[in-house]
Structure formats: C-alpha cells, structure tokens
C-alpha cells in the first residue's frame, strides 16, 4: 500500500494510542475486578467465619445423638441458616461431611432432602481437604452466578463434622463491573476520538512542510527552476528546505551558465560559413550546423542520431570519416560534391570522446570552390599573359634576326620589317598598359573621382575619337540620348574609357557598312534611379554560351580575329571593373536579328547621394 507520510504518521500514532488505551483499559478493568473480588472474598470470609462459629455447636454430636442428626437438630440448623442468611445477607448452606445438604437458607426445609449431594462441589471438596474452599459458578439451585466460600467445621477431636458455606450472587459485582466497562468504553471512545484529531493535526503539522517540500521538489525536477520552498521552520525540516533552496539556486545558476554556453556555441555554429558535423565513436551524427545542412541539402532534425554514412551518401566522405574514427588522428582531405561539382575541404579533428553520444570526431567542411576557381583563373591568367606577350615578342625577335641576317641591307625590306617591329612593340605596349590599368583597378589603387558627369559629353568625346575608324569601315553611328538624362556621380575619364571600349568593339566586330546605335535613358530598378547606356551593333554577335565570359580577362570569342583586329582581350574586363567601381552593372545581350547589345547601368547622382 502506497500511503503518504502524513497518513503513516497519523495511523502510526493512532495505532500506538489505541494499543495503549486497550492494554491500559484492560489492565485497569482487570485490577478493579480483582479488587472487587478480593473485597467480596474478605467480607464473605468474615461472615462465613461467624456463621461457622454459630453453626459449630449445632453440628457437634452430643452423647445422646445417634450417628445421624435428629430431625429436630436439622430443623434448628435450617432455622439458624435462615437467621444467619438474613444477617449476613448471603445464602447460607450447611453440608454434612458426607456431602449431604443439612440446611440451606435458599431452600424450603421440606425440599432440603431433595437437594443434590454437594460432596463434589469444588469449594466443599477444598474445605474438607484444607479447611477452606472457594468457587464461582452458576448455581443450580438459584440459577445465578454465585461466589461460594466454604469453611469446614470440626469436632474438638479434630474430625470434620460438616461444612458451612456462604454464597453471594455476583449480580451486583457484575453490574458494577459492567458499569465500569461502560464508563471505560466511553472514556476509551472519547480518548480515541481525541487521539484521532490529535494525530491528524500532529501529522499535518509534521508532514505539512514536508509535503510542501515534496511538491516544490517535484516542480524543480519538472524543470520549473524558479520554484522555492517558503518555510519559517528552524528544525530539520527548515534545514532540509534551506538545503533544497540552495541546491535549486546552484542548479539554476549552473543551468543558466550551461544554456548561455550552449547559446553561444549554437550562435557560433549557426553563423559559421563552414559546415560542421560532430560524430561519436560509432560514427553517429550528434550535431550538424545549418551551413552543412545547406551544403548537403540535409534536414538537421532528421540527421541527429543516425549513422554518418546514412545521412550523407558520399563514398569518399564516408571512407574519410571511417579512417579518422579508426585511426583517431586528425586528418584533412578534399571531396567533390555531385552534381554541383563543388570542391569541399574536410578537416577532421579528434575530440576524444570514447563513449556513445560523446563527441569523438569533429568534421569541418570548407567550400573551396571559389578558391580553386581563383587559383585556376590566376594560373590561366599567367598562361594567357605569357602567351599574349610571347606572340609579339616572337614576331619582333623573328624580324630583328631577319634584319641581322641581311635584310637590313635591303632598304625597302628593312623599312617593312621595322614597321612590323614597331607595330608589334605598340601591341606589347598596349597589352602592358591594359594589364597595368586592370591590376590597378583590381587592387583598388585607382580611386574613382566622384564628380557629376554628363553622359552626353562622354558620348560626344568618344565619338570624336572613334568616328574616323567607323567612317573608315563605312559604319553609321546613331545616338539617341534622352534629353532629361541626369548626371551620374563618377570619374569622367574612366567612364569615357568604358564608352570608348564598347564603341571601339562595336566598330571592330561589325563587318563594313554596319550600324552602331548609342542610346541613353533613365530607368528605375527596384526603387533606384539609374541611367541605362546601350551600345548596339549589327556585327558578329556573341554566342549565348560566351556572353557571361567575355568580361573575363583575355577571353575572346575568336582569338585570331581579335588579335588581327588589334584586341588585347582586356577591354571588357576593364569596362566591367570601372562600371562596378561606380556601383553599376554591365552585361551583353543579343541584338535582333544580328549583332550585340552591351548594356551599362549606372546609378544617377541623386540616387547615389540619397543612398549616402
Ligand atoms: P578584345 O581586345 O579582344 O576586343 P575585349 O575584352 O574588348 O577584348 O572583348 C573580348 C571579346 O568579346 C572579344 O575578343 C570578342 O570576341 C568579343 N566582343 C567584344 N565586343 C564585341 C562585339 N561588339 N561584337 C562581337 N563580339 C564582341
């Protein structure tokens, strides 16, 4: 049975009180009964003694008597017995040594002879044997419970002449004992009721604070760490409550610290660009961060508690993780993700956890695709530069050798060769100038001015430079600039360079007698006012696949043609850098039905100022 401590205390107290009351009551009852009986015995003994003394004379046989008592003596005995009975307030019986009843105050004289022989009555047997005998039993004669006391009567010679027996009904005594029972029962009942109330109150007083403590402890265990026990007790319960409160304070502080640490850790993990995965010694995923979820298109909640091999189905990665878990040594490697083709560097650090659910290995995934691409760009760039420089140099060297070999002696040949050498030197110079400019812009050494620039002026200046070339090829150049074209904030000279490169390309890559159109208008791009400049030609056009790449350094759609036309492959890269340096964008579209359309968008001076 699962009893509360309150009930245990209450029932225990009650049991003890009930037991005490019962034992005490029984003892009291027994001793009072005993006392009553002793008092009765004493009273009866005195009266029996006196009766025996009075009867003795009548029982001693005189010389004239025969062995049996005469009828006259018997009737005198009967009278005496009745007389004594009246005075002693008890039944008086005289019994002969043979057990025959000689007189009995409770029986009429004529019925005496019909009474049973009393020789076997316990008190008579005792009295004849020891001189005195007692017994308590139901009287056959009176039908009442009687207390008997018998004394033997002896002749002067010492032999017994009879037994004088006095009997008192126990009715009075029993009535008194019953009354006592009743009183004691009542007292017991009252005491019991009082003890019930007292024990319940006592239990409540004792266990009330304990119940409060238990309730608060349960709430604390349930996570409500703000709960405290309020008690004024200074006893053990008070100490217990204070200790529990202290424990709760400590727990709350520790938990606060732990959750702060956890929050910081989580913030770190969440904000990291690198993917992180924590494995236990069996290779089960304990933790992954959002960056890794993005990298492998995972769902965090579904991955925790599952083996790494199941979470990320990547053969190389799983072999890598297995190796680290087996060797327990830090390791790093590179994997390629399919189908994106991204390159990821994986750094494995052994955290040291030996058991399940303990961090054993931490894997950090670093997406190095951009780095690798940059490396490739750098390598390509070096190769391209070398190649671009080598071509004119080889040509110069070849013609110089030819001159030395004798061509110098032929003035016509020499002049032609020197002309070629000059052209190739110019080309070298051009490439070096473009490269220098590009590297300056890229390295941020060139600070663009922030002056209001009127694009109409820029376009006019460009046209005055390019016009002769265009005319030479028979191109028609048309310009339509919106009259309300606002100025842009920027570097007039650099923006001129952008225009020159674009129009120069249009002239270069458009076969003779083409049309080139320069337009300018204001647009609104996501709430920002911009100026859109377009250079459209009816030239060769750029295939779709090449369009995003023409802004890369040295990228050409047709290398031979570009070189033939004197291009360095750096013009559009410079354009892109200058435009982006002005906070703008540049791209190329196809022109219908043929040709290309280069679009430059620059924020207007007002929208730029507004931004600042
Ligand atoms: P280049 O000095 O070779 O002209 P650019 O960087 O200016 O170098 O241009 C890169 C490549 O883009 C060119 O080689 C050419 O193939 C292509 N291109 C540029 N402008 C045009 C145009 N208007 N029409 C067709 N192709 C063009």
């Amino acid at each position: 049975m699962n009893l509360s401590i309150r009930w245990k205390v209450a029932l225990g107290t009650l049991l003890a009180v009930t037991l005490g009351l019962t034992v005490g009551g029984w003892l009291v009852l027994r001793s009072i009964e005993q006392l009553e009986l002793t008092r009765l015995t004493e009273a009866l003994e005195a009266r029996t003694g006196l009766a025996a003394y009075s009867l003795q004379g009548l029982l001693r046989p005189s010389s004239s008597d025969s062995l049996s008592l005469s009828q006259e003596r018997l009737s005198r005995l009967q009278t005496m017995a009745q007389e004594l009975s009246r005075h002693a307030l008890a039944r008086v019986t005289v019994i002969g040594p043979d057990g025959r009843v000689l007189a009995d105050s409770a029986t009429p004289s004529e019925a005496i002879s019909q009474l049973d022989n009393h020789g076997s009555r316990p008190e008579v047997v005792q009295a004849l044997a020891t001189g005195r005998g007692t017994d308590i039993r139901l009287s056959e004669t009176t039908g009442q419970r009687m207390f008997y006391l018998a004394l033997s009567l002896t002749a002067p010679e010492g032999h017994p002449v009879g037994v004088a027996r006095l009997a008192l009904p126990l009715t009075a005594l029993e009535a008194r004992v019953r009354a006592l029972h009743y009183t004691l029962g009542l007292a017991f009942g009252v005491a019991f009721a009082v003890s019930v109330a007292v024990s319940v109150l006592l239990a409540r007083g004792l266990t009330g604070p304990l119940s409060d403590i238990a309730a608060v402890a349960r709430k604390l265990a349930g996570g409500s760490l703000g709960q405290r026990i309020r008690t004024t007790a200074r006893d053990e319960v008070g100490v217990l409550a204070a200790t529990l409160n202290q424990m709760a304070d400590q727990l709350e502080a520790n938990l606060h610290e732990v959750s702060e640490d956890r929050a910081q850790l989580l913030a770190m993990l969440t904000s990291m660009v690198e993917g992180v995965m924590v494995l236990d010694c069996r290779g089960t995923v304990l933790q992954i961060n959002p960056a890794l979820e993005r990298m492998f298109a995972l769902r965090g909640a579904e991955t925790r508690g599952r083996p790494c091999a199941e979470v990320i189905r990547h053969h190389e990665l799983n072999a890598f993780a297995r190796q680290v878990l087996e060797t327990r040594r830090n390791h790093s490697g590179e994997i390629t993700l399919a189908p994106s083709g991204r390159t990821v560097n994986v750094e494995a650090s052994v955290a040291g956890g030996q058991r399940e659910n303990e961090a054993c290995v931490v894997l950090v995934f670093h997406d190095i695709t951009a780095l690798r691409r940059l490396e490739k760009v750098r390598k390509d760039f070096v190769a391209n530069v070398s190649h671009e420089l080598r071509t004119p140099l080889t040509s110069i060297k070849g013609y110089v050798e030819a001159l030395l070999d004798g061509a110098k002696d032929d003035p016509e040949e020499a002049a032609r060769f020197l002309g070629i050498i000059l052209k190739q030197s110019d080309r070298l110079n051009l490439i070096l100038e473009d490269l220098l400019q590009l590297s300056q812009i890229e390295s941020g050494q060139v600070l663009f001015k922030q002056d209001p620039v009127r694009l109409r002026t820029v376009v006019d200046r460009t046209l005055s430079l390019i016009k002769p070339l265009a005319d030479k090829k028979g191109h028609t150049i048309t310009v339509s600039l919106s009259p309300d074209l606002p100025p842009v904030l920027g570097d007039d000279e650099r923006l001129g360079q952008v225009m020159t490169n674009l129009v120069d390309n249009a002239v270069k890559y458009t076969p003779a007698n083409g049309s080139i159109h320069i337009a300018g208008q204001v647009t609104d791009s996501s709430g920002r006012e911009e100026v859109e400049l377009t250079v459209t030609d009816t030239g060769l056009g750029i295939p779709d696949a090449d369009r995003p790449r023409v802004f890369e350094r040295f990228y050409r759609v047709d290398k031979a043609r570009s070189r033939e036309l004197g291009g360095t492959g750096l013009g559009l890269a410079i354009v892109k850098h200058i435009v982006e340096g002005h906070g703008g964008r540049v791209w190329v579209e196809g022109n219908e039905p043929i040709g290309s359309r280069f679009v430059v968008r620059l924020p207007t001076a007002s929208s730029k100022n507004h931004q600042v």
Side-chain angles (χ1 to χ4, degrees):
M1 202 168 21
N2 204 1
L3 281 178
S4 70
I5 190 163
R6 176 177 297 184
W7 279 109
K8 280 180 190 159
V9 170
L11 290 179
T13 321
L14 214 59
L15 197 73
V17 170
T18 313
L19 216 69
L21 280 175
T22 313
V23 171
W26 184 78
L27 281 175
V28 167
L29 215 62
R30 285 287 302 164
S31 38
I32 289 175
E33 266 182 29
Q34 211 59 50
L35 199 74
E36 284 288 326
L37 212 62
T38 312
R39 269 174 46 201
L40 193 72
T41 313
E42 278 168 8
L44 208 59
E45 196 142 18
R47 287 183 230 172
T48 313
L50 278 173
Y53 179 74
S54 307
L55 290 164
Q56 212 154 13
L58 275 175
L59 281 172
R60 282 196 194 132
S62 61
S63 53
S64 58
D65 276 348
S66 59
L67 266 172
S68 60
L69 288 168
S70 68
Q71 200 57 42
E72 187 218 327
R73 279 189 45 200
L74 281 176
S75 81
R76 278 177 57 204
L77 261 177
Q78 177 67 10
T79 312
M80 177 80 86
Q82 280 168 342
E83 197 75 6
L84 285 168
S85 168
R86 221 178 29 254
H87 286 102
L89 300 172
R91 177 186 165 195
V92 179
T93 314
V94 185
I95 302 148
D98 53 355
R100 191 164 61 96
V101 178
L102 301 176
D104 183 35
S105 61
T107 314
S109 331
E110 56 281 9
I112 298 281
S113 54
Q114 281 144 37
L115 288 173
D116 286 345
N117 188 304
H118 277 36
S120 60
R121 300 288 196 272
E123 70 279 5
V124 177
V125 173
Q126 274 177 45
L128 285 172
T130 62
R132 184 184 178 277
T134 57
D135 192 27
I136 293 172
R137 67 171 181 277
L138 200 71
S139 162
E140 285 172 20
T141 318
T142 63
Q144 285 178 314
R145 249 171 73 80
M146 305 288 279
F147 179 68
Y148 296 98
L149 198 143
L151 290 175
S152 82
L153 304 168
T154 47
E157 301 83 41
H159 64 86
V161 290
V163 172
R165 188 187 77 173
L166 258 72
L168 269 179
L170 287 174
T171 340
L173 183 111
E174 279 174 349
R176 273 205 302 282
V177 170
R178 253 198 314 278
L180 202 68
H181 271 205
Y182 176 75
T183 317
L184 268 173
L186 203 69
F188 184 93
V190 171
F192 184 77
V194 169
S195 60
V196 165
V198 169
S199 59
V200 166
L201 284 177
L202 192 78
R204 183 178 298 169
L206 263 176
T207 62
L210 280 178
S211 302
D212 292 348
I213 291 176
V216 173
R218 212 171 296 132
K219 281 183 192 161
L220 284 174
S224 314
L225 292 180
Q227 296 287 330
R228 292 293 178 276
I229 303 157
R230 263 178 273 279
T231 177
T232 47
R234 292 181 174 274
D235 53 8
E236 288 86 339
V237 174
V239 174
L240 181 66
T243 315
L244 255 169
N245 282 343
Q246 221 172 326
M247 261 171 62
D249 285 344
Q250 191 76 33
L251 204 71
E252 203 177 3
N254 287 352
L255 215 76
H256 185 68
E257 210 173 296
V258 168
S259 47
E260 256 185 12
D261 283 357
R262 195 182 145 75
Q264 281 170 11
L265 213 70
L266 231 102
M268 260 164 63
L269 270 180
T270 312
S271 58
M272 270 175 83
V273 186
E274 289 85 5
V276 177
M277 180 158 74
V278 185
L279 302 177
D280 74 355
C281 58
R282 296 170 308 162
T284 307
V285 177
L286 298 182
Q287 188 70 260
I288 65 167
N289 73 341
L292 193 78
E293 285 172 24
R294 283 192 297 274
M295 217 176 263
F296 288 93
L298 303 171
R299 287 247 207 103
E302 290 167 13
T303 57
R304 281 174 205 116
R306 287 173 58 203
C308 167
E310 242 176 57
V311 172
I312 303 176
R313 298 199 180 275
H314 192 288
H315 175 71
E316 258 180 284
L317 174 68
N318 290 324
F320 178 83
R322 238 191 343 267
Q323 189 192 349
V324 178
L325 283 168
E326 275 164 19
T327 57
R328 297 283 162 99
R329 287 172 69 175
N330 294 352
H331 199 49
S332 73
E334 260 181 47
I335 58 169
T336 310
L337 306 186
S340 61
R342 302 192 76 83
T343 314
V344 175
N345 174 267
V346 190
E347 286 279 350
S349 315
V350 177
Q354 303 285 341
R355 285 193 295 267
E356 283 178 21
N357 292 323
E358 262 185 20
C360 178
V361 171
V362 179
L363 299 171
V364 179
F365 298 74
H366 193 213
D367 189 341
I368 52 166
T369 316
L371 197 75
R372 288 282 177 269
R373 206 182 55 231
L374 269 178
E375 271 175 19
K376 189 175 173 312
V377 168
R378 189 179 53 80
K379 279 183 196 156
D380 288 354
F381 176 70
V382 172
N384 281 332
V385 170
S386 319
H387 182 75
E388 292 301 324
L389 294 180
R390 195 177 304 121
T391 317
L393 266 176
T394 316
S395 168
I396 291 170
K397 190 169 177 259
Y399 284 107
V400 169
E401 277 170 359
L403 280 172
L404 289 174
D405 282 348
K408 65 175 183 316
D409 302 327
D410 180 348
E412 219 175 282
E413 194 83 327
R416 198 170 67 84
F417 283 9
L418 284 171
I420 294 171
I421 289 170
L422 183 67
K423 202 178 151 202
Q424 293 299 340
S425 312
D426 285 345
R427 184 171 162 69
L428 258 182
N429 205 27
L430 208 65
I431 293 173
L432 287 174
E433 260 177 27
D434 278 359
L435 269 177
L436 200 68
Q437 204 174 43
L438 201 62
S439 88
Q440 278 173 348
I441 297 171
E442 273 185 348
S443 65
Q445 283 176 21
V446 177
L447 285 177
F448 299 122
K449 286 188 225 155
Q450 294 287 304
D451 300 330
V453 180
R454 295 187 58 77
L455 290 169
R456 185 171 290 278
T457 325
V458 174
V459 172
D460 289 347
R461 212 171 50 231
T462 306
L463 283 182
S464 65
L465 273 175
I466 306 284
K467 193 89 176 45
L469 280 172
D471 288 345
K472 225 171 161 185
K473 285 187 83 174
H475 293 326
T476 324
I477 300 183
T478 50
V479 178
S480 71
L481 295 178
S482 169
D484 56 347
L485 210 58
V488 294
L489 256 195
D491 195 316
D492 178 66
E493 208 175 306
R494 296 290 173 187
L495 290 174
Q497 199 175 351
V498 168
M499 264 334 262
T500 313
N501 282 359
L502 291 180
V503 181
D504 183 48
N505 277 351
V507 171
K508 270 197 299 188
Y509 300 107
T510 303
N513 307 319
S515 317
I516 296 162
H517 182 64
I518 300 169
Q521 62 191 46
V522 184
T523 60
D524 205 307
S525 162
S526 37
R528 192 168 81 144
E529 194 188 45
E530 286 181 335
V531 170
E532 184 180 273
L533 276 177
T534 54
V535 178
T536 314
D537 61 50
T538 52
L540 306 168
I542 302 169
D544 284 357
D546 294 305
R547 276 181 204 152
R549 300 204 61 188
V550 287
F551 295 96
E552 287 176 20
R553 287 170 294 194
F554 296 116
Y555 191 86
R556 287 133 160 172
V557 180
D558 183 342
K559 275 198 167 86
R561 184 185 283 264
S562 160
R563 240 177 252 134
E564 188 191 302
L565 296 170
T568 60
L570 296 169
L572 288 180
I574 293 172
V575 165
K576 186 173 179 245
H577 274 93
I578 294 175
V579 171
E580 286 178 356
H582 280 78
R585 289 171 296 150
V586 58
W587 68 93
V588 60
E589 301 167 351
N591 181 38
E592 285 303 319
I594 47 160
S596 317
R597 201 166 95 97
F598 281 83
V599 186
V600 174
R601 280 214 184 154
L602 293 166
T604 59
S606 62
S607 76
K608 239 185 179 179
N609 283 335
H610 189 67
Q611 258 190 342
V612 171

